[in-house]
Amino acid sequence: MIPNVLITGSNRGLGLEWCRQYAKAGWRVFASCRFPEQADALQQLAAEYGTVVMHRLDVTEPDQINALAGALAEYPIDLLINNAGVYYEKYDRPGQPIDYAAWTHTFRVNTMGAMRVSQALLPHIRRSQKRLIAVITSHMGSIAEIERPGSYYYRSSKAALNAAMKGFSLELGALEIGVLLLHPGWVRTRMGGPDGLLSPQESIEGMRARVEAFTLADSGRFFRYDGTEIPW
């Protein structure tokens, strides 16, 4: 049976590369993003691979999440990749006033969005063979690794995501569903910028290796793309 993966934030960067690599590996790919009609690169990928199916999804909109879960009701989801994320203050100057509305929205996307999607798709994941939720987080959510001020919205949203998913992994252990927290490294994407140390291909290849090697003993743990563990 062909395995199924659902990927959020699939229109560019890491999300698009996740889709490309899993499509090439023969998986059925449910690729979701906010505006599929504007996702030219993803449309091209779907045209190249008949196993890539595009869906509209804003992870902050419960109605869209529930609609997607309903549309995929007949499919088991072997792997859910919570990839969608925002980083609004990446280019803010030190001392710039805090935009609390942007901070709130960052939490809605980076933290609550991943939880909403994961909970809505639990029945699909439970019926699958792989039974794994992968969460694309960041080492910037590690309190132990904070070395400079700033990035308050992004850091706190990823730290909260890590805490929530660690707790979620304990809840899902009884169902033998795994939760894998992954830091992709500094990647040359729109979010990472042109100076990143990794290409999207290199980052996703590393994270796919972590997915393939996953056992329930790894559930709720926090890894870099290269397999090294990150302190909380």
Side-chain angles (χ1 to χ4, degrees), residues 11-173:
N11 55 309
R12 63 174 181 268
L14 293 178
L16 184 64
E17 185 63 24
W18 277 114
C19 292
R20 180 178 292 111
Q21 291 195 22
Y22 273 113
K24 189 174 181 179
W27 288 51
R28 182 184 290 111
V29 178
F30 300 115
S32 70
C33 61
R34 290 186 301 157
F35 305 112
E37 66 280 2
Q38 299 176 18
D40 294 342
L42 185 56
Q43 290 177 19
Q44 292 173 11
L45 191 66
E48 181 179 356
Y49 293 96
T51 54
V52 176
V53 184
M54 297 172 63
H55 292 272
R56 183 181 306 279
L57 181 64
D58 183 331
V59 300
T60 70
E61 296 292 340
D63 288 348
Q64 289 189 24
I65 295 171
N66 292 335
L68 178 58
L72 300 180
E74 66 181 279
Y75 295 100
I77 301 297
D78 293 273
L79 174 62
L80 167 63
I81 302 175
N82 285 297
N83 172 76
V86 294
Y87 186 3
Y88 287 124
E89 79 261 56
K90 180 174 177 61
Y91 298 107
D92 283 359
R93 298 182 302 277
Q96 190 162 325
I98 288 175
D99 183 338
Y100 286 95
W103 197 346
T104 299
H105 188 70
T106 300
F107 261 81
R108 291 183 64 217
V109 176
N110 293 358
T111 310
M112 291 183 283
M115 283 296 297
R116 286 186 191 276
V117 173
S118 298
Q119 289 191 314
L121 291 171
L122 270 184
H124 307 64
I125 297 165
R126 192 172 183 178
R127 298 198 312 269
S128 75
Q129 295 295 313
K130 185 73 173 173
R131 301 162 71 92
L132 179 59
I133 298 170
V135 183
I136 310 309
T137 180
S138 172
H139 77 109
M140 291 177 70
S142 167
I143 294 173
E145 294 197 358
I146 294 177
E147 297 176 344
R148 65 185 66 181
S151 297
Y152 300 122
Y153 324 157
Y154 187 76
R155 286 186 187 279
S156 61
S157 73
K158 291 299 189 179
L161 175 62
N162 292 349
M165 287 295 174
K166 172 65 177 180
F168 200 34
S169 74
L170 300 177
E171 177 183 340
L172 298 184

